[in-house]
Amino acid sequence: MINVQYLDLPCTIHGLVRENVDDSYTIILNSRDTRERNLQTYIHELNHLLHGDLEKIDVQAVEAEAHKREV
């Protein structure tokens, strides 16, 4: 199960994903962003889940790889 929350995040953070104690996930989107930007961010965070990125340690490498997949 994937939950979605909208929070007032800093402008430089569009979203994030986290695993919950019940093995579900929460994608947090920036409530300051546009609907279009939130959709892009949702897809980006969903791809992190699909590629097992939460299991990886090197966040910089994970983000670099994720952005390559989006091009």
Side-chain angles (χ1 to χ4, degrees), residues 8-44:
D8 197 13
L9 301 173
C11 294
T12 56
I13 300 175
H14 298 293
L16 55 110
V17 61
R18 67 175 197 173
E19 186 173 8
N20 302 316
V21 293
D22 64 356
D23 292 326
S24 67
Y25 297 92
T26 299
I27 293 177
I28 300 171
L29 301 173
N30 193 334
S31 61
R32 298 177 189 210
D33 285 342
T34 65
R35 178 171 158 66
E36 292 80 13
R37 178 66 218 196
N38 277 327
L39 180 57
Q40 290 174 345
T41 302
Y42 178 83
I43 293 168
H44 175 90

